[in-house]
Amino acid sequence: MKKLKELFEKNKKFIMEVIHFGIVGVMNTVLGWVIMALLYNLIHLNYWLSSGISYFIGSVFSYHANSRVTFKVEKKDKWLPWRFALNIVVCYLTAFGVAQPLVEHVLASQPKVIVDNVAMVLGMGIFIVLNFFGQKLFVFQTQKKREKKG
């Protein structure tokens, strides 16, 4: 038990970042899924427009919530929003670009609406993992390094 407590204390900052990112992510995922599902299933926009609009709206929320709550950035430089946007675009294109052909291959005999909805869920899962590490290692870590130097 003592070793477990020591391990927690040693990694407390990272653990708390994961927890906070998860809380923000759950709120963002619910918001994103509702928007994506409505745009795709009710308004009948295509896969890329539905997921793209959803991720744009969710990204604005995520930027503010993660910079304040998860990574606790106090001083934002002029490049921070651009690094965040670049991270979102790369993660989005990678996640959804992998998810759609993979699900199309695995569920080839299913109707397109099933394939696209499953691909959107898988794409969201891939995106979450890529986005956490992108924000931690590229977006906000770069900011923290600058603050330490300054």
Side-chain angles (χ1 to χ4, degrees):
M1 193 59 131
K2 184 178 179 183
K3 290 204 183 259
L4 188 60
K5 186 174 181 177
E6 288 173 6
L7 184 63
F8 175 78
E9 288 301 322
K10 182 179 177 184
N11 297 295
K12 185 176 182 177
K13 181 178 181 271
F14 177 76
I15 292 167
M16 293 312 294
E17 286 176 346
V18 170
I19 291 169
H20 287 135
F21 190 84
I23 292 168
V24 169
V26 166
M27 293 187 307
N28 199 25
T29 300
V30 170
L31 171 69
W33 178 250
V34 167
I35 292 168
M36 197 179 334
L38 289 173
L39 292 175
Y40 184 82
N41 294 305
L42 293 179
I43 298 177
H44 304 292
L45 293 181
N46 71 32
Y47 172 85
W48 287 105
L49 277 174
S50 300
S51 62
I53 291 168
S54 166
Y55 271 75
F56 176 79
I57 294 167
S59 294
V60 172
F61 168 76
S62 179
Y63 171 76
H64 292 290
N66 281 317
S67 67
R68 289 186 181 123
V69 176
T70 304
F71 300 107
K72 297 177 179 30
V73 175
E74 300 205 8
K75 295 179 184 174
K76 296 178 184 173
D77 68 44
K78 66 180 178 179
W79 297 107
L80 185 62
W82 296 105
R83 286 192 308 272
F84 184 88
L86 178 61
N87 177 65
I88 294 295
V89 168
V90 168
C91 292
Y92 168 76
L93 291 175
T94 302
F96 284 83
V98 166
Q100 191 176 38
L102 179 64
V103 173
E104 283 175 348
H105 177 73
V106 172
L107 301 179
S109 63
Q110 297 299 315
K112 181 171 176 35
V113 67
I114 299 293
V115 170
D116 283 351
N117 277 283
V118 171
M120 286 187 285
V121 171
L122 178 61
M124 290 174 81
I126 296 168
F127 177 87
I128 289 166
V129 173
L130 295 176
N131 186 36
F132 173 78
F133 286 104
Q135 286 188 39
K136 178 162 181 59
L137 301 173
F138 173 65
V139 177
F140 297 113
Q141 184 62 35
T142 304
Q143 179 66 26
K144 288 179 182 178
K145 285 180 185 176
R146 285 193 180 107
E147 287 174 9
K148 286 179 182 177
K149 287 181 183 177

